[in-house]
Amino acid sequence: DVKVTQSSRYLVKRTGEKVFLECVQDMDHENMFWYRQDPGLGLRLIYFSYDVKMKEKGDIPEGYSVSREKKERFSLILESASTNQTSMYLCASSLPRTGQGYEQYFGPGTRLTVT
Amino acid sequence: AQKVTQAQTEISVVEKEDVTLDCVYETRDTTYYLFWYKQPPSGELVFLIRRNSFDEQNEISGRYSWNFQKSTSSFNFTITASQVVDSAVYFCALRLANAGGTSYGKLTFGQGTILTVHP
């Protein structure tokens, strides 16, 4: 069974703080993804990574950065948290592009509130 | 650019009713994959089904069935004899099979449909 874990289920931070969201997967997947989920907007891709130290911007990368130093771990960083980054953050992983139809496996999400 | 539309924001049914969740997609590519995910109150998205664009055969899995119609760009999901445990947010998503560049496995999601099944 694929397991994707996220470091926190709930997080409350203050405006301007630097925030780290951690994601770990145990299935040796090459691809990892960070999404944010907002009511009425579905899931929107922030960043993804297709290999260690490799990353690509998604649809809404502004205000975020990522780090992937090890294959199993993908971190999302909010350099200076703002209230409009209050959201549910979901991490996912999948097999690589050569397996084009492979589904993504999701973690339980981190509900971040920025006050 | 791809787009997935789930026009039904919320659906409320009584247990044992059948319910259909609509999904309409837009893409210029001819080769793609369609997915349905379920998000129960616990928050974790659960994969339900994958369909590739060349396979228009409908699929049934227990109380779940999917109707893929390329002619109308729709991939609808029906739950037969709904149960309270089916209450969740359901997402439809699309992925291109031959995305160029570094679009590795990028999914485009619909807005989600909140399904509430009352006892």
Side-chain angles (χ1 to χ4, degrees):
Chain A
D1 256 7
V2 177
K3 191 74 175 176
V4 179
T5 57
Q6 296 183 228
S7 50
S8 306
R9 290 301 302 272
Y10 299 93
L11 210 52
V12 179
K13 295 292 181 181
R14 294 193 180 276
T15 301
E17 277 193 77
K18 190 168 186 175
V19 181
F20 292 86
L21 303 182
E22 305 286 339
C23 175
V24 177
Q25 50 95 2
D26 66 358
M27 280 303 291
D28 205 34
H29 284 170
E30 281 77 2
N31 293 350
M32 295 189 75
F33 307 82
W34 275 107
Y35 295 89
R36 65 176 281 175
Q37 179 181 0
D38 300 288
L41 297 177
L43 276 72
R44 294 178 292 166
L45 182 65
I46 304 171
Y47 266 97
F48 64 99
S49 169
Y50 51 92
D51 203 348
V52 175
K53 296 191 187 295
M54 308 303 286
K55 60 187 179 185
E56 289 290 332
K57 292 180 181 179
D59 298 319
I60 50 165
E62 297 78 19
Y64 304 95
S65 62
V66 290
S67 171
R68 191 157 180 210
E69 297 297 319
K70 293 185 178 181
K71 191 175 186 180
E72 67 271 17
R73 188 179 297 269
F74 191 34
S75 302
L76 180 69
I77 303 156
L78 287 65
E79 296 289 342
S80 178
S82 63
T83 54
N84 63 12
Q85 292 179 310
T86 292
S87 186
M88 169 73 95
Y89 290 88
L90 290 159
C91 175
S93 72
S94 76
L95 286 167
R97 187 173 182 229
T98 50
Q100 291 173 349
Y102 289 123
E103 62 271 22
Q104 293 180 17
Y105 294 87
F106 284 81
T110 295
R111 188 167 293 282
L112 172 68
T113 302
V114 182
T115 61
Chain B
Q2 294 70 242
K3 186 177 179 183
V4 177
T5 302
Q6 294 177 252
Q8 303 148 309
T9 305
E10 290 192 53
I11 300 175
S12 183
V13 300
V14 177
E15 216 170 13
K16 296 185 184 175
E17 279 187 44
D18 297 349
V19 57
T20 296
L21 309 181
D22 297 333
C23 173
V24 174
Y25 61 92
E26 296 174 29
T27 179
R28 291 182 181 176
D29 280 51
T30 56
T31 311
Y32 48 87
Y33 295 90
L34 294 163
F35 300 81
W36 275 96
Y37 282 87
K38 173 183 180 180
Q39 186 180 38
S42 60
E44 186 172 329
L45 267 77
V46 177
F47 165 75
L48 295 178
I49 191 172
R50 171 184 61 246
R51 215 72 186 131
N52 84 48
S53 52
F54 292 119
D55 183 1
E56 287 194 70
Q57 220 174 9
N58 291 331
E59 182 156 340
I60 299 174
S61 175
R63 296 184 297 107
Y64 295 172
S65 62
W66 291 268
N67 183 346
F68 175 31
Q69 292 198 343
K70 218 166 173 179
S71 59
T72 56
S73 297
S74 65
F75 186 42
N76 297 336
F77 173 31
T78 297
I79 302 174
T80 303
S82 60
Q83 299 177 2
V84 172
V85 293
D86 295 326
S87 296
V89 184
Y90 290 86
F91 290 97
C92 180
L94 177 145
R95 174 185 176 182
L96 301 183
N98 297 312
T102 54
S103 295
Y104 289 82
K106 177 184 170 181
L107 281 173
T108 299
F109 282 87
Q111 303 92 319
T113 297
I114 302 170
L115 174 64
T116 304
V117 181
H118 299 281

